[in-house]
Amino acid sequence: MTLAASAAHSAHSGFLSPTGIEIAFVLVGIATLGAALVTVTTKQLVHAALWLVVALGGLAVEYLLLTAEFIAWVQVLIYVGSVVVLLLFGLMLTKAPIGRSPDADSGNRWAALGVAVAAAGALVWVVVDAFCTTWIDLDGPAQGSTEVTGTFLFRHWVLPFEALSVLLLAALVGAIVLSRKRSKEQS
């Protein structure tokens, strides 16, 4: 092996020599997965909403590590800032129980775990099968830039964004209607 080939090989990091960003990505991913698991396993609704904030914040950090700053801030503003606040607002308006909620557990944990593992396996299989031969063009325009992302989102994803806004508005109106019916029944 020549000296030039040896230098080129050592300058190229591989799977067994991860960089600091890759290590941070894995650690934040593990923390995000842990927060997501606590979100769906806790019996307290308010705690579930707060753990959802941690999980969605972890996703924003992952986007930052992938140098997709625009998507990271959209994640923070829309999901952490709006969706979770709307969820907590709905919980407060409907006077959901603050403490443990026995009706939040149906007793089908093993069936739910089996379905979750099967769905996760199917999702991993589909994603790996779809992208196993795909390579990222590093010489082209930056994929996480605001210009490229904005063009893609507003060209192909305008309808889902509008549908989501209508869904969130319907959830807010529903929470207000439910809270008004209960207050009329109590008086």
Side-chain angles (χ1 to χ4, degrees), residues 86-107:
L86 180 66
L87 180 67
L88 288 172
F89 186 64
L91 285 173
M92 286 186 267
L93 277 177
T94 57
K95 297 180 182 164
I98 300 295
R100 291 192 178 270
S101 214
D103 59 337
D105 189 12
S106 68

Side-chain angles (χ1 to χ4, degrees), residues 23-111:
I23 293 170
F25 188 85
V26 169
L27 291 176
V28 171
I30 291 170
T32 302
L33 180 64
L37 287 174
V38 173
T39 299
V40 298
T41 57
T42 186
K43 291 186 179 184
Q44 296 184 2
L45 294 176
V46 176
H47 289 177
L50 295 175
W51 279 108
L52 182 62
V53 169
V54 174
L56 293 174
L59 285 177
V61 171
E62 296 282 48
Y63 287 132
L64 281 176
L65 290 172
L66 291 172
T67 65
E69 293 88 3
F70 177 70
I71 299 295
W73 286 114
V74 166
Q75 174 80 16
V76 169
L77 292 175
I78 292 179
Y79 289 106
V80 175
S82 301
V83 173
V84 175
V85 168
L86 180 66
L87 180 67
L88 288 172
F89 186 64
L91 285 173
M92 286 186 267
L93 277 177
T94 57
K95 297 180 182 164
I98 300 295
R100 291 192 178 270
S101 214
D103 59 337
D105 189 12
S106 68
N108 296 325
R109 285 182 181 253
W110 293 110

Side-chain angles (χ1 to χ4, degrees), residues 153 156-164:
L153 286 177
H156 303 290
W157 294 96
V158 171
L159 186 60
F161 272 8
E162 291 302 321
L164 179 64

Side-chain angles (χ1 to χ4, degrees), residues 97-155:
I98 300 295
R100 291 192 178 270
S101 214
D103 59 337
D105 189 12
S106 68
N108 296 325
R109 285 182 181 253
W110 293 110
L113 180 65
V115 170
V117 167
L123 180 64
V124 167
W125 178 70
V126 166
V127 169
V128 167
D129 186 53
F131 297 108
C132 65
T133 60
T134 303
W135 293 92
I136 298 172
D137 181 23
L138 297 177
D139 296 328
Q143 294 298 317
S145 69
T146 307
E147 180 182 354
V148 172
T149 305
T151 302
F152 185 77
L153 286 177
F154 290 117
R155 184 170 295 153

Side-chain angles (χ1 to χ4, degrees), residues 13-25:
S13 68
F15 180 72
L16 296 176
S17 60
T19 63
I21 292 176
E22 291 168 345
I23 293 170
F25 188 85

